[in-house]
Amino acid sequence: MEVVLPHDLRERLRQLTERGVKVLPVPGAGAVEQAGIPGRAGAGGHAGTAGHAGHAGHAGLAELGGLEDTEVLVTGWGCPPLTRPVLDGAPRLRVVVHAAGSIKRLVTEEVWERGIVVSSAAEANAAPVAEFTLAVISLAAKSALSMAATYAGGRWPAFSERRGADGRTIGVIGASRIGRRVIAGLRASAAGYRVLLYDPYVTEQDAVRMGVERVAWLADLCRAADIVTVHAPETPETYRLLDDRHLAMIPDGGTVINTARGSLVDTAALERECGLGRLNAWLDVTDPEPLARGSALLRLSNVLVTPHIAGAQGSEGRRLGAYAVEEAGRWVRGERLVGEVRREELERLA
């Protein structure tokens, strides 16, 4: 909590809202940060509260109490869902600002039914994920895993065995916030990557503007790409999007990168392909997450699994808090919310 909303950001929230900031305990989960938010003009000037819930576990917000005058609620990772009992206890709630990425586990249908505005700091979280992905693509393009394994095995790889990044074909699945940032980074690289994009919602004109080659079928991307990087949202339609059939289409020596959601890749099929040494993988997310301790993916030399670290971590968490604080300020001033999430957009969002 201190990482995402440290003292200076709470002070900034105090200045923007002209109300105090206090910390209240959440039953079974530590504490929730709260700040008084003045009402909009015509709202009678009643003070509301905004809370930043860190890892609030499964404790219900309804148990917290003190939300009766809340107009702005600032939430974070681990915040319990905003269920009907919670909302009944916050009758003045007008806006939820989520100081994290996805709002799908937080915002219930009841929130939309009551006309509550929702905003997310997903854009602030997109930057570190894209930067992480671009770094991994660079490493994968140089076959870093196999080179490291050869070196660790006692042999210095000959120059003729080494691979460079220039001219490699990168297949991007999903022109999401993160996907578009990755595309921009690839286009700016001196490596001269060929960038393919599969996204059924992207038009040919959109693809031209992004400087990518749009493919109509995922199979076409898999057959052509040296490296496949996943950035699509987690929806029923994208469950195991990269299944055994599509994974088998990726050329020998190809690499799968997943910094989106584990459910988009068939874990068992990927484990088979990597176990045969045909494919390599860099996985920041898995299904299940975490993997079982004995999973082959954790011990294969051609696979690197990281514990969901691509998004804002440690000092980067401050970006999310700063975004949420400024967003709360925009709402108070009656301005457009930069990170507003609309109900109709949910099926296309992570």
Side-chain angles (χ1 to χ4, degrees), residues 15-59:
Q15 293 170 358
L16 288 174
T17 63
E18 299 180 347
R19 291 294 189 276
V21 177
K22 60 182 178 179
V23 178
L24 296 179
V26 175
V32 167
E33 306 221 7
Q34 299 212 345
I37 305 293
R40 289 176 183 250
H46 295 290
T49 59
H52 178 272
H55 293 278
H58 298 290

Side-chain angles (χ1 to χ4, degrees), residues 77-144:
W77 285 309
C79 183
L82 300 178
T83 58
R84 177 173 293 180
V86 173
L87 298 174
D88 285 345
R92 294 181 59 81
L93 184 61
R94 296 294 177 267
V95 60
V96 175
V97 181
H98 192 46
S102 176
I103 53 95
K104 287 187 175 180
R105 292 182 176 86
L106 172 72
V107 175
T108 63
E109 191 64 22
E110 191 73 18
V111 173
W112 305 114
E113 292 293 340
R114 299 190 186 206
I116 296 169
V117 176
V118 178
S119 177
S120 163
E123 185 63 38
N125 195 46
V129 179
E131 289 163 359
F132 181 95
T133 304
L134 288 166
V136 168
I137 289 173
S138 180
L139 289 167
K142 288 180 173 286
S143 301

Side-chain angles (χ1 to χ4, degrees), residues 204-286:
E204 191 60 42
Q205 288 181 325
D206 291 334
V208 170
R209 280 194 290 268
M210 285 186 277
V212 300
E213 297 177 42
R214 175 180 170 272
V215 295
W217 303 101
L218 179 58
D220 294 334
L221 180 146
C222 290
R223 291 191 185 100
D226 299 304
I227 298 170
V228 176
T229 181
V230 183
H231 302 290
E234 182 181 42
T235 68
E237 291 73 28
T238 61
Y239 178 72
R240 292 188 177 174
L241 188 64
L242 273 182
D243 56 14
D244 55 352
R245 183 173 68 91
H246 286 102
L247 289 169
M249 295 175 183
I250 300 173
D252 291 356
T255 298
V256 173
I257 298 170
N258 191 3
T259 56
R261 288 292 183 267
S263 66
L264 274 65
V265 178
D266 184 331
T267 302
L270 181 63
E271 186 175 294
R272 286 194 297 273
E273 293 283 4
C274 293
L276 293 171
R278 205 185 69 77
L279 295 182
N280 310 293
W282 300 70
L283 308 172
D284 189 54
V285 290
T286 57

Side-chain angles (χ1 to χ4, degrees), residues 13 25 84 168 177-178 194 199 220 255 282 320 342:
L13 184 61
R84 177 173 293 180
R168 292 287 204 120
R177 288 185 183 92
I178 296 165
R194 178 191 179 200
D199 188 322
D220 294 334
T255 298
W282 300 70
L320 308 181
R342 293 179 174 80

Side-chain angles (χ1 to χ4, degrees), residues 296-314:
L297 292 173
L298 295 174
R299 55 181 171 77
L300 290 169
S301 63
N302 57 334
V303 178
L304 181 66
V305 183
T306 48
H308 210 138
I309 63 171
Q313 304 287 299

Side-chain angles (χ1 to χ4, degrees), residues 185-196:
L186 293 172
R187 294 286 299 148
S189 172
Y193 293 115
R194 178 191 179 200
V195 184
L196 307 180

